[in-house]
Amino acid sequence: MDLKSIYNLTAEDWHKEHQNDNWGIVGTNKFVNFLTPGALILDAGCGGGTISKYLISKGFKVVGIDFSEKMVDIAKREVPSGSFLVMDLANVGKLDQVFDAIFLRAVLLHIPKVKVGETIKGLLKKLKSHGHLYLAVKEKKPDGPEEEVKKDDGRFFSYFTMEEIKNYLTKEGLEIVFESITPSGKVNWIQIIAQGGVGSV
């Protein structure tokens, strides 16, 4: 079963299970503080719209995309004031808007490393000059794999070091303005906020 099918099958349960995730609160609030009132944000890999709902409550306009139809259905139900589309990250170029900021939590970790660079490039084409990008991925454990398919549920994961993620962004002309490694259970989450520069539209 492919990743999209897995998330379609488990969407309701996944949405409920992740309502109380708190490891990203500090990073998300830092992201919010960089933005101006009314900013237009792309919530890429929006899932059931939990973060979109929070961002809208802070006075921002949000477009959420996810490749899972079921997740987008949940987002539309839970966040009627948002705008949600079924879309793969590879197709963000089809969006009409250019965004003040992009929120990318727990999304690149499902992308094979060989495609991460081009995925980031594609997203940056939709980020305004000097716009902000929030990114969160799981940290690679010292003796752990670079990539794996989870035996329990069949999901694909990529794992990263802080320097690795920073290099992807600085290579595209972004400036790192916030970085953090936050433990959550058995996982460490890397959170980075970068501001667009030379590499942005």
Side-chain angles (χ1 to χ4, degrees):
M1 189 181 296
D2 64 16
L3 192 67
K4 179 176 177 178
S5 299
I6 292 168
Y7 275 114
N8 275 334
L9 188 65
T10 61
E12 291 287 355
D13 289 339
W14 190 95
H15 179 66
K16 290 174 184 174
E17 289 168 8
H18 290 272
Q19 284 300 296
N20 297 317
D21 286 353
N22 59 14
W23 57 264
I25 290 173
V26 172
T28 302
N29 286 334
K30 287 279 187 183
F31 174 73
V32 164
N33 289 338
F34 281 115
L35 307 182
T36 55
L40 178 62
I41 303 171
L42 174 63
D43 185 2
C46 63
T50 301
I51 296 297
S52 292
K53 186 175 184 177
Y54 178 73
L55 294 173
I56 289 169
S57 77
K58 294 293 183 180
F60 303 113
K61 292 172 283 189
V62 177
V63 174
I65 63 169
D66 202 285
F67 72 164
S68 163
E69 294 91 350
K70 294 295 185 183
M71 286 291 192
V72 170
D73 285 346
I74 294 169
K76 288 179 176 178
R77 181 188 75 208
E78 298 290 321
V79 196
S81 56
S83 175
F84 299 100
L85 302 167
V86 178
M87 180 177 285
D88 191 277
L89 276 187
N91 297 323
V92 292
K94 295 180 180 179
L95 291 169
D96 294 331
Q97 305 96 323
V98 178
F99 298 87
D100 299 299
I102 296 174
F103 194 89
L104 194 67
R105 173 183 288 179
V107 180
L108 283 186
L109 49 69
H110 288 317
I111 304 291
K113 286 195 172 184
V114 69
K115 294 184 177 180
V116 168
E118 66 184 75
T119 300
I120 290 172
K121 279 179 182 285
L123 284 164
L124 292 180
K125 288 178 181 177
K126 287 296 173 180
L127 182 66
K128 289 182 181 177
S129 179
H130 306 298
H132 288 83
L133 170 70
Y134 168 99
L135 189 157
V137 292
K138 292 182 178 182
E139 184 182 37
K140 180 186 176 297
K141 295 178 180 177
D143 299 322
E146 297 274 344
E147 300 176 337
E148 69 173 336
V149 175
K150 289 284 192 180
K151 293 179 181 177
D152 57 348
D153 62 11
R155 290 184 299 162
F156 172 88
F157 282 93
S158 294
Y159 304 101
F160 301 86
T161 65
M162 175 67 83
E163 287 306 309
E164 192 177 5
I165 284 294
K166 287 168 69 173
N167 285 341
Y168 278 118
L169 299 177
T170 56
K171 182 180 176 182
E172 299 303 326
L174 277 74
E175 177 189 358
I176 309 300
V177 294
F178 171 82
E179 60 183 84
S180 173
I181 297 178
T182 308
S184 178
K186 296 179 180 179
V187 175
N188 285 340
W189 286 94
I190 293 172
Q191 297 181 84
I192 288 180
I193 301 170
Q195 186 171 16
V198 178
S200 307
V201 172

